[in-house]
Amino acid sequence: MNPSTLFALALLRLDGVGRVTTHRLLQHFPTWEALLDTPREQVLVRLKGVAKAEALVTRLFDEDAMAPVLDEVRTALQIHAGRHVRVWTPAAPGWPAGLDLLPRAERPATLYSYGTSALLQQPTVAVLGRAGLSGPAFEAAQALVRHLISAGLPVVAGAADGFDVVMHKLCYTQRHPSVVVAASGLAKLPTSIRPHASAVVGAGGLVCAPFDMHHGPFAHDDRERALTQAALAAAVVVVEPQADTPEHKALAWALDADRPVFAIAGTDTKALSERVHRLDRPVDFDWVVAAARTSNEAPLSDDPPSDDPPALPSKN
């Protein structure tokens, strides 16, 4: 059991500690033991500006108060492991580096995943869109995903009916891995999505969420889903981006983070920056492949995916 993950999850269970404070503490103290080895005054300096910092530090140094919290987390992690759910936290090995580039207030402090975790260490392409697309844009998005499949690049898409389901179905029917990013905890995936998520895992893919297992669903979390989706990928494609949507927020962040950003724009191009590359023709899809491969590409597992997709974690 990773001591950094144990400490991160314990912090999130403390009153008044959110992900911003958790990130701040983990940046300097990756484990509880590291914090205990530091003078209290030094810890307080690291928490300057945090509300009720003195009370928090007192509790962190109180071994009797922290012991039951840590025991609760150990039990939860054992249950997750028994269900093949992996919990990632910022200071632990394997934490996707792209997540640390997100704005501090919107940066996840955890990532729960089920399936082929190695996909998070490989070049992938995020494809973002939502219901209401024009016919030509929707067809172009499907053509792009088929191109990515032929190029061997995993696709990162959301977990909503309609657009996201089609993107994943194109992948899993070809036994090609994709990554599902949910806007809720994994145990709260909508009933209509669960068979598709299971099929994704059975095809060698991954289902993940930046939320606790039983969190949500809440409409306001869709923005964090879109940002996480973009941050996990090496290149970002937004289909008919519309202002004031989670997808447009992800596009804007990706540009600020100097990620390669592409758009299937349809007829409305007013909201597009000149730095966004337009995908007007199928031949342009090679740009996306080239951009995603600028990082070192690790091979996919040689193990064939199971013919019987495993069940997703229970809602209970």
Side-chain angles (χ1 to χ4, degrees):
M1 190 173 293
N2 186 277
S4 181
T5 296
L6 186 68
F7 184 41
L9 295 180
L11 286 171
L12 292 168
R13 288 175 179 247
L14 301 180
D15 291 339
V17 178
R19 57 187 170 188
V20 173
T21 301
T22 296
H23 274 287
R24 195 164 171 179
L25 283 165
L26 292 176
Q27 182 180 0
H28 302 287
F29 316 108
T31 66
W32 186 47
E33 291 75 15
L35 182 140
L36 292 178
D37 288 340
T38 306
R40 294 190 185 206
E41 295 75 15
Q42 294 271 350
V43 178
L44 275 170
V45 169
R46 301 301 185 190
L47 290 175
K48 185 177 181 180
V50 173
K52 301 180 179 179
E54 289 190 14
L56 173 58
V57 171
T58 296
R59 179 158 193 191
L60 289 172
F61 276 89
D62 186 341
E63 298 189 32
D64 290 335
M66 287 296 293
V69 179
L70 293 164
D71 286 342
E72 289 176 5
V73 173
R74 287 189 189 93
T75 299
L77 286 172
Q78 288 169 354
I79 292 171
H80 294 326
R83 294 174 177 174
H84 306 290
V85 173
R86 179 168 179 177
V87 186
W88 312 65
T89 52
W95 174 256
L99 295 178
D100 288 333
L101 301 178
L102 288 169
R104 186 177 296 274
E106 296 172 306
R107 188 183 307 162
T110 58
L111 188 73
Y112 290 74
S113 70
Y114 181 73
T116 306
S117 297
L119 290 174
L120 296 181
Q121 311 303 324
Q122 297 178 20
T124 57
V125 177
V127 181
L128 298 101
R130 60 178 45 236
L133 298 176
S134 67
F138 192 30
E139 291 296 327
Q142 293 177 73
L144 168 65
V145 169
R146 293 188 187 97
H147 191 83
L148 296 174
I149 292 171
S150 67
L153 286 173
V155 173
V156 183
D161 283 310
F163 178 85
D164 292 328
V165 165
V166 171
M167 300 300 107
H168 291 299
K169 193 171 184 179
L170 287 168
C171 294
Y172 70 68
T173 54
Q174 296 296 315
R175 311 297 286 168
H176 182 77
S178 64
V179 178
V180 178
V181 182
S184 68
L186 295 185
K188 294 293 186 177
L189 278 176
T191 301
S192 61
I193 298 299
R194 296 178 75 82
H196 299 287
S198 291
V200 165
V201 174
L206 180 76
V207 183
C208 65
F211 307 103
D212 184 76
M213 288 290 292
H214 296 278
H215 178 91
F218 304 112
H220 62 263
D221 288 331
D222 202 33
R223 185 167 88 163
E224 185 170 341
R225 179 275 309 167
L227 287 168
T228 300
Q229 190 177 331
L232 290 175
V236 178
V237 179
V238 185
V239 185
E240 283 192 334
Q242 302 293 322
D244 301 320
T245 62
E247 290 71 28
H248 194 272
K249 175 71 176 179
L251 181 154
W253 168 79
L255 287 174
D256 289 343
D258 292 324
R259 290 288 173 87
V261 181
F262 304 85
I264 296 172
T267 58
D268 183 9
T269 60
K270 295 179 181 178
L272 291 184
S273 162
E274 293 181 355
R275 295 166 57 203
V276 175
H277 305 288
R278 289 275 304 273
L279 301 176
D280 295 320
R281 304 163 300 165
V283 69
D284 297 337
F285 297 163
D286 285 333
W287 295 351
V288 182
V289 173
R293 285 180 171 163
T294 55
S295 59
N296 292 328
E297 186 167 0
L300 294 175
S301 170
D302 291 331
D303 297 332
S306 169
D307 290 333
D308 298 315
L312 286 170
S314 163
K315 289 188 176 185
N316 298 320

